[in-house]
Amino acid sequence: MVQTTQIVLASRPSGMPAEQNFRTETVELPAPGAGEALLQTLYLSLDPYMRGRMSDAPSYAPPVRIGQPMVGATVSRVLESTDPALAPGDTVLGYGGWRSHSVEPLRQLRKLDATVAPVTTALGVLGMPGFTAYSGLLTIGRPQPGETVVVAAATGPVGSAVGQIAKIKGAHTVGIAGGPKKVALLKDRFGFDIALDHRAPDFADRLAAATPDGIDVYFENVGGAVFDAVLPRLNPFARIPVCGLVADYNATELPPGPDRLGRFMSTVLRKSLTVRGFIQSEFAPDQFGDFLSEMGGWIRDGRVHYLEDIVDGLEHAVEAFGGLLVGKNLGKLIVEVAD
Ligand code: NDP
């Protein structure tokens, strides 16, 4: 019998998740059955969508039940396998959750080759977040050469990929991030044409000055004050892939100030905007293969760069996750669970 140390959801957070909303426990795992493998987690991905799983508000995916381990993508080492295609010692991408060990169906696992790319990239630039950027930008945003593309959370795995893919497609790119360190990275590492700090008191004026020709694609990652500043800058026929609204994930009430829905809908109408929400899994069956080969090529050619923020130890997962929601992470947030 193998034991797993796991972080379970003890209660549903109101506002920012706190340590008391979780419990760490050690339980025995069943032996893997036919079509299953026993895995040791090496790396756990922490992603903003997990905040939604902690809540029982209606969503596109069911919530984590109270007392159940938190879900999450993982890179793991195979300890035991019932299929010759996966041998002990192999490294796989799976969905083991916030746990040191897991038993998972083999059909849910993808074997990784560390000689092709560092295995952690399967959680970021070559994984779900990179694919989110690729599919949402190219399918909904459709940036054309010379157009202006704006994205916030732009040093994160989604936003940084959005900016770099938009640049490859010939667009003029405006990246938005929080604080001087991240803003410097936008230009130096990710090649944005313009870098802006959404925390600056005159952010809306700076955005207006930085977009003299208006905005053709706004890749919506954050919502909140950034969206308020973007809305008046949108050009006729602008496209808005609505990917995430992280500014609101911990909200317990509506934002202060007047109801802005009327102004928003009137802008959608007058400017013939396309506002299209999406969950990346919608596009995966048709596009994930193309994404892996194209993104892999861009990384090899030095046209796409990535940044990872690796936190040591599962015991730091809750604190690190809270930090992600307020921008304390610097790049794709990953927990190193075992060596
Ligand atoms: P990041 O690693 O970029 O982390 C989130 C970032 O959001 C923070 O680092 C912070 O960056 C920024 N942020 C937090 N609060 C605010 C705020 N009030 N105003 C502006 N920015 C804020 O996350 P990901 O790249 O993993 O995800 C980006 C977005 O994409 C999220 O909304 C996520 O939910 C969404 N997503 C959607 C998917 C889909 O299928 N639709 C799939 C994957 C992700 P900073 O310090 O720069 O402010």
Side-chain angles (χ1 to χ4, degrees):
M1 281 292 183
V2 169
Q3 292 192 323
T4 185
T5 298
Q6 58 187 22
I7 297 179
V8 304
L9 187 65
S11 59
R12 302 207 181 278
S14 167
M16 177 63 87
E19 295 286 348
Q20 62 267 27
N21 298 124
F22 303 87
R23 190 173 63 242
T24 302
E25 57 184 32
T26 300
V27 297
E28 285 195 350
L29 283 175
E36 292 183 330
L38 173 67
L39 307 172
Q40 179 184 21
T41 310
L42 303 178
Y43 297 100
L44 163 68
S45 179
L46 292 181
D47 298 272
Y49 76 84
M50 293 167 173
R51 181 64 185 83
R53 301 290 193 279
M54 294 169 193
S55 158
D56 57 5
S59 185
Y60 62 91
V64 172
R65 293 199 309 276
I66 299 297
Q68 292 298 305
M70 278 301 301
V71 293
T74 42
V75 167
S76 303
R77 182 184 294 129
V78 176
L79 298 181
E80 280 176 43
S81 160
T82 55
D83 187 319
L86 274 187
D90 283 346
T91 307
V92 291
L93 174 69
Y95 205 68
W98 297 28
R99 295 191 286 179
S100 67
H101 295 78
S102 60
V103 172
E104 291 184 65
L106 290 154
R107 62 178 154 70
Q108 190 170 285
L109 306 176
R110 177 155 64 87
K111 191 167 163 178
L112 300 174
D113 183 348
T115 64
V116 173
V119 291
T120 48
T121 59
L123 302 173
V125 69
L126 284 173
M128 184 278 284
F131 179 67
T132 301
Y134 177 93
S135 59
L137 181 68
L138 298 182
T139 313
I140 304 169
R142 302 184 315 281
Q144 305 301 309
E147 285 192 331
T148 298
V149 174
V150 175
V151 64
T155 60
V158 176
S160 61
V162 165
Q164 293 174 96
I165 297 170
K167 195 82 207 148
I168 289 169
K169 298 295 172 186
H172 178 73
T173 53
V174 178
I176 299 167
K181 193 171 174 185
K182 288 187 177 183
V183 170
L185 278 171
L186 291 177
K187 282 193 166 182
D188 300 346
R189 188 157 186 136
F190 298 122
F192 281 92
D193 295 306
I194 305 275
L196 297 175
D197 188 342
H198 65 83
R199 294 190 198 146
D202 58 349
F203 165 70
D205 293 338
R206 288 184 190 216
L207 180 70
T211 54
D213 299 327
I215 296 171
D216 300 293
V217 180
Y218 173 56
F219 191 98
E220 175 61 295
N221 269 341
V222 301
V226 173
F227 181 74
D228 287 343
V230 163
L231 188 64
R233 304 300 306 153
L234 292 167
N235 285 331
F237 297 99
R239 287 83 66 199
I240 308 178
V242 182
C243 173
L245 300 164
V246 67
D248 299 332
Y249 288 174
N250 284 324
T252 51
E253 54 190 29
L254 289 171
D259 181 353
R260 295 188 279 276
L261 184 61
R263 184 183 67 149
F264 168 64
M265 289 305 276
S266 139
T267 311
V268 171
L269 173 62
R270 283 184 293 105
K271 294 190 173 171
S272 302
L273 303 180
T274 298
V275 182
R276 159 78 148 91
F278 73 102
I279 304 299
Q280 49 78 30
S281 51
E282 170 191 353
F283 302 119
D286 291 338
Q287 299 183 18
F288 200 81
D290 291 345
F291 157 72
L292 275 186
S293 63
E294 239 181 332
M295 193 64 139
W298 289 332
I299 293 170
R300 273 194 302 280
D301 296 346
R303 301 181 81 189
V304 168
H305 301 272
Y306 61 92
L307 183 62
E308 295 176 335
D309 185 343
I310 301 192
V311 171
D312 189 24
L314 189 59
E315 66 277 17
H316 297 122
V318 174
E319 183 190 356
F321 179 73
L324 173 72
L325 298 175
V326 292
K328 289 193 181 152
N329 61 312
L330 199 57
K332 170 64 208 152
L333 185 59
I334 294 171
V335 178
E336 183 168 1
V337 180
D339 221 347

